[in-house]
Amino acid sequence: AGMAGAFLMEIRRGTQSALLVIRYAAAELPSAPVEVSVCADSLEVRSGGSCDAAALPAGVRLAPSSCRGLRCLRGDGLHLRVRLRSPPPAADVVFSLRESLKPNKNYIFYCQSCGDIVVKDRKFLRVLPLPSENWSDLVEEWCCHPDPFARSTLHPQHGDCFLGDTFLLLNSGNESHMPESPKSEENTRVICKRCKTMLGETVSSDTIKYYVTEVIIQLAEGSFSPTPRSQFVQSMVAQCLLELSSAKSTFRFTIKGDNGKTYILIWLLNSDTLLVESLGSSSSHSVFTPFGDILMPSSGPVGTWNAVKVLYQPCIKCRNKDLADAWENDMGVHLLKFPSETCLELLLILGLSTASLPPSLRCMNSFQV
């Protein structure tokens, strides 16, 4: 069986350790002996007269003498653990709306799906974070007298932008570029005029909620640069998980749609993972996804990704209902709300990611990885 130089390395920055999986091109074990050479900056696999070698990305240096735990798993390949000589490069700073949206600058909002302008040349005088979704439920714990906020509403004025966990609130004003939304109370969805994608919801007669997974926000003087759909959804959801886990020390999340249904339960394991993968080691990285983009590594035969590692459970079609109900009543679980279509996209992205892993790494307890 040919090796095709296929390997997957999962590096933890915090512990400077790595799990290396050298994957077989076929499900069966090779008939000829396999010789694996681990060098500081490269891997080499010899089997049956063939030799496959791959250079590691710059900044990733192994300590060959630390190799341990070698084992062979049918359908996976060879597993071993190794330490790093030095910490790998730091992760890219995650794009954050809280840091990028500044007062007194002109912004344009684009539909992420088709690039149509949603809000043109909007200057914010104030950019303010909103309290968490259940802030009003906690007022009784803060106040010894009747709720002073009972008649107050957090609606932005014309020069305001209010930032929530997964959305931002704008004053709709009288702008002609604002998408038309249905007047029916049962359906308050804000739809892109060009591609009919849901962008957000009308909160009141003068307030619109835009979901961060549906709009691209750029400075007015810049040019629009589209991002492949699956990459954009992954980056924005990862941003939400990282910000909330850091700010609130919460690591379990319920993903709900705008229809109120629970779609996914997510448990954040770590955010210091660096994946190093050869081109031939994953079938899902060489095909078109349903979002129109190709899941391919960075340039060259070896790709690297900064990754957020999560456990998840699908909840569609009443799956895992008991667990979802238990998480619903758990104060340690944080709710994240997205458009229902985006929840399904995220579930598909998670499934593709799981399928790209060696079979032995796809599950942990009853959760998928």
Side-chain angles (χ1 to χ4, degrees), residues 252-328:
R252 289 181 295 161
F253 303 88
T254 298
I255 308 296
K256 279 195 173 185
D258 61 288
N259 56 6
K261 293 182 180 179
T262 300
Y263 284 82
I264 318 169
L265 305 178
I266 290 183
W267 197 325
L268 176 64
L269 275 187
N270 66 65
S271 56
D272 67 344
T273 294
L274 176 67
L275 291 179
V276 181
E277 188 173 9
S278 63
L279 256 177
S281 64
S282 171
S283 61
S284 75
H285 290 313
S286 60
V287 296
F288 280 98
T289 72
F291 311 103
D293 54 317
I294 305 178
L295 292 175
M296 292 289 283
S298 52
S299 59
V302 176
T304 58
W305 295 267
N306 292 310
V308 171
K309 190 171 185 179
V310 302
L311 306 180
Y312 69 97
Q313 290 276 23
C315 294
I316 56 174
K317 298 181 179 179
C318 295
R319 293 175 62 184
N320 301 301
K321 187 177 186 305
D322 292 342
L323 183 60
D325 290 343
W327 281 32
E328 185 89 22

Side-chain angles (χ1 to χ4, degrees), residues 333-344:
V333 178
H334 197 86
L335 170 65
L336 294 177
K337 183 179 175 183
F338 297 102
S340 303
E341 296 88 345
T342 302
C343 294
L344 291 173

